[in-house]
Amino acid sequence: MGHVFREFRYAVRSLARTPGLALLAIFTMALGIGATTATWSVIDGVLLRPLPFPASERLLEVWRWSGGGGGPFLTFDTIETLRETATSLEAVEGYVTDIVVADGAPPRTVRVARVTAGVLPALGVPPVHGRHLAATDGPDAVVLREDLWRQIGTGDWTSTNRPVGIDGRTYRVIGVMPATFRFPGADTQVWAPLDWDAEAPVTGGEQLRTLARRGRDVSQQQVAAELTAISRGLHEQGALRDEYTLVPEPLNPFESEMRSGIGGYRRIRSTLSLLFGAVTFVLLIACANTGNLMLMRAAQRARETAVRQALGASTVRVGGHFVVEALVLCVAAGVLGAGLAVAAVRVVALRMPTLDYQDIGGAVVSPRAFLVVVALSLATALVIGLVPALRASRRSVATDLAVLGATTGGPRRRLSGLLVVTEMALSLMLLAGAGLFVRSFVNLQRTDLGFDVDRLAFVGLRLPELRYEDGEARSRYVDELSARLLGLPGVEAAAMAASVPPEAGYFLAFGRMRFAGDAGPQSTSDVFVSSNLVAPGYFDTLGIPLLEGRPFTPGDAASAEAVAIVEAGSARRLWPDGSAIGRRFQPPHLDSWFTVVGVVGETRQVNADWPGGDLRYYVPFPPAQVQTEARLVVRTDAPETLLSAIRREVWAIDPRVAVLASTMERHVRDGRARPRFAVWLMTMFALVGLLLAAGGIVAVVSSDVGERTREVGIRMALGATPPDVVWLVLRRGAMLTAGGTSLGLAGAWAATPLAESMLFEVAPLDPLSLLGATTVLAAVALAATWLPARRAAGIAPLDALRAE
């Protein structure tokens, strides 16, 4: 033990004699450890760890599926049937979500989950105070999430059974769930009985989402087989359409192909997987850089090593010293890297888009991710330490003593050069990836969404249900608000809609669209069809051009004939050889036929994750169908300055209405949070990799200059000019750059399939991105080589010869 302690003490003293090189090695490794640990921790928390519910692998949803599409909503009667007949399921519960108004000044909107009594117990997360909902609770009982209870609770927030005002009614808080609890969505803060409105109880035909838990010894395949048998019985009873089959889906959206495809989770998974590879490149670059620094240090100490061997030190003893030095550097880098990881994981988690079920905002460094990274770093340290020892064992002690520090060249230079080439190749791949993501995001930003983003304000309203019980009352409020907004200075137009961009649509259906063609009734293949309810003036307000026909009029909503306006792309697809005006179509799952009265320009979604439907159409907004959650779009030249006036007018009519007023530009920007996150993180990785690669080039070229000092002196004594010396050094950097660029371009080509699905209107081998990455890398390499070259050109021949 004393011998080991002496080796560590000697290693520390030895490193302290070259503090610059030691600190550079520590910082390089710490940067790689910190960045990799932070990213791997987030990926570990999102993709690898189970959901934060006990035995979450047994939690599932039941979907109705028809091969090409379907949905997660079942009738209450179907859920009751599953409860009675599905022996493979321990629990089958139902829920539906809604937006409500929590009393306060100002009032705020919160999302409530109306649940059957077994939903919260099935998830297995105990409340921090009080209890879960029970079947015996009346409609006035609610459970709140801790963060909401802190905001609206009165008196001692740790107590329960306190009254709170929600949607104009008074409720009893019987329990408080943890602030990190996320079900069924990240924004759900209230859980209430399914029949929380005693005057409008849930009926057997109401559509609900399901939460089920399979038995302990039951597989997913066994559940699927039983649900298939139950589906056949429901077909015979007429309770389930023949084309649908009930199927189990894991609650974890990253394990669910259905939910991943529809909700964008597949793209999140692909993005995180790509970032996993990118940050692994950063760690490899850091390890290669540290290895190069240690090889340089070993070369500088070749004579010292030879003296120790001449005095009787064994190869094992010499090698052990280098290994201990590497371990000391790795331990110091691990401590610093852990601190960097703690800070970085918080930054990454804060920028990452919100996910259901998981509290990513509270992410911490994953111990197993940190251990894996440190283990890789330790393995690298061992290799770094053993290489100089192996080289020393193969060299002649007499030769090392005789050369007296002259150029050692040969294998060490080749190995250092290979490491730098690897660093540059990985850096080029990171730069190319960042360039592709930036180009993709710029294309997304420049995409014409089909409406006037810059001159619009978005107004989201939530009316208290007790005061606005029917659609007519809600319509009167919206009409009065619209009139008040039109009276504000600078307001040109205002219109209501059930859905406004960046939302995909008010109603999204999957199935066959029937339409009247020239040869009679026809139908499409299975497609996603998006519809929206809009008031007269909606298209003028958003700046969506009317291409053919007429806009909606106030009388269309009450007309006996169902009319619709379709987007131009949908019109071309259904009626490619003629005008769509006067044509008729029947959307999936609806009995009504609509007559086309107008064709408008196409609108695009702000996020490439979801196109918003293969076919899109609009129908008039009947006053009776205005919901408590309403949306308005206001057209003005200065939307930002109008927001406070909008809120004032909303509360002037009714101070208990919750309002979200925002510019459409901000609304659109929020919808692009996911691609923005990928661009930001990939760019950070590329910059870190480029910085490390530049440091590696400087280190290698500087080492070469130091080793070739005598050669430079002789060349200059024989007539070489400073430009000749500069070119001699630059040529070494150019050769490394050429090798790294070639290898990096080959790697970028090989990684093409990984990035293709995550790009928007840009090719994976985009020439501009590859050229830009190559140019940046070459420029950085030239700058990194220029400094040692200038220093070499300033060497005096006499001083160079005396140095030997």
Side-chain angles (χ1 to χ4, degrees), residues 274-363:
L274 185 65
L275 294 176
F276 171 84
V279 77
T280 302
F281 283 3
V282 172
L283 180 62
L284 292 176
I285 293 172
C287 291
N289 213 337
T290 305
N292 243 337
L293 293 173
M294 295 306 295
L295 285 175
M296 287 171 48
R297 177 173 171 78
Q300 294 169 0
R301 299 176 62 193
R303 187 183 180 201
E304 175 192 338
T305 302
V307 171
R308 294 184 68 191
Q309 288 180 301
L311 294 176
S314 66
T315 301
V316 174
R317 183 72 179 269
V318 172
H321 172 69
F322 282 113
V323 170
V324 170
E325 275 195 0
L327 290 176
V328 169
L329 291 175
C330 190
V331 169
V335 174
L336 179 59
L340 293 176
V342 170
V345 75
R346 293 176 182 173
V347 174
V348 172
L350 288 176
R351 283 183 168 267
M352 188 172 178
T354 302
L355 298 175
D356 292 337
Y357 312 138
Q358 296 161 304
D359 182 25
I360 299 301

Side-chain angles (χ1 to χ4, degrees), residues 63 125 157 320 406 411 618 634 760:
W63 283 46
V125 178
W157 71 270
Y618 303 86
V634 180
F760 181 74

Side-chain angles (χ1 to χ4, degrees), residues 272-606:
L272 290 178
S273 299
L274 185 65
L275 294 176
F276 171 84
V279 77
T280 302
F281 283 3
V282 172
L283 180 62
L284 292 176
I285 293 172
C287 291
N289 213 337
T290 305
N292 243 337
L293 293 173
M294 295 306 295
L295 285 175
M296 287 171 48
R297 177 173 171 78
Q300 294 169 0
R301 299 176 62 193
R303 187 183 180 201
E304 175 192 338
T305 302
V307 171
R308 294 184 68 191
Q309 288 180 301
L311 294 176
S314 66
T315 301
V316 174
R317 183 72 179 269
V318 172
H321 172 69
F322 282 113
V323 170
V324 170
E325 275 195 0
L327 290 176
V328 169
L329 291 175
C330 190
V331 169
V335 174
L336 179 59
L340 293 176
V342 170
V345 75
R346 293 176 182 173
V347 174
V348 172
L350 288 176
R351 283 183 168 267
M352 188 172 178
T354 302
L355 298 175
D356 292 337
Y357 312 138
Q358 296 161 304
D359 182 25
I360 299 301
V364 296
V365 172
S366 167
R368 66 180 179 181
F370 181 70
L371 289 176
V372 169
V373 174
V374 171
L376 292 174
S377 303
L378 285 174
T380 303
L382 291 174
V383 173
I384 291 170
L386 289 174
V387 169
L390 292 175
R391 289 187 65 251
S393 67
R394 296 193 182 108
R395 292 179 62 85
S396 166
V397 174
T399 300
D400 281 343
L401 290 172
V403 296
L404 297 175
T407 301
T408 57
R412 204 279 306 169
R413 290 187 64 200
R414 288 194 293 270
L415 181 57
S416 293
L418 179 61
L419 290 174
V420 170
V421 167
T422 303
E423 289 182 52
M424 296 182 70
L426 295 175
S427 297
L428 180 61
M429 293 177 66
L430 288 176
L431 284 170
L436 287 173
F437 272 79
V438 169
R439 286 260 292 156
S440 178
F441 188 71
V442 169
N443 288 343
L444 190 62
Q445 292 279 73
R446 292 177 176 175
T447 298
D448 182 8
L449 300 178
F451 56 93
D452 194 352
V453 176
D454 298 331
R455 301 185 61 209
L456 296 175
F458 167 79
V459 184
L461 303 172
R462 186 50 173 87
L463 310 176
E465 190 171 357
L466 188 63
R467 290 178 55 82
Y468 301 91
E469 297 180 347
D470 56 66
E472 297 290 346
R474 300 163 193 157
S475 180
R476 287 193 296 271
Y477 177 90
V478 174
D479 289 343
E480 182 178 353
L481 177 60
S482 298
R484 283 175 172 263
L485 295 180
L486 287 172
L488 293 176
V491 173
E492 300 175 10
M496 178 181 62
S499 171
V500 298
E503 299 159 330
Y506 174 68
F507 182 73
L508 190 66
F510 179 83
R512 296 186 176 185
M513 170 87 85
R514 300 184 64 194
F515 62 97
D518 295 334
Q522 303 176 38
S523 65
T524 66
S525 58
D526 285 340
V527 292
F528 284 103
V529 181
S530 173
S531 62
N532 196 7
L533 303 174
V534 300
Y538 173 81
F539 301 108
D540 285 341
T541 302
L542 267 74
I544 301 174
L546 179 67
L547 305 179
E548 190 179 2
R550 65 171 178 86
F552 290 134
T553 63
D556 284 334
S559 173
E561 181 183 26
V563 298
I565 292 176
V566 298
E567 287 196 350
S570 303
R572 287 193 301 268
R573 179 167 179 174
L574 297 177
W575 304 284
D577 300 325
S579 172
I581 302 302
R583 303 294 189 107
R584 303 177 71 233
F585 66 90
Q586 183 186 42
H589 314 309
L590 292 181
D591 297 328
S592 301
W593 281 80
F594 293 86
T595 301
V596 179
V597 298
V599 178
V600 295
E602 295 182 67
T603 59
R604 301 189 65 171
Q605 291 304 297
V606 301

Side-chain angles (χ1 to χ4, degrees), residues 754-769:
L754 300 177
E756 189 169 6
S757 63
M758 288 171 279
L759 302 177
F760 181 74
E761 296 184 352
V762 60
L765 291 177
D766 175 54
L768 186 60
S769 299

Side-chain angles (χ1 to χ4, degrees), residues 721-734:
T721 63
D724 294 331
V725 175
V726 169
W727 169 243
L728 178 69
V729 178
L730 289 180
R731 186 170 56 189
R732 167 73 165 159

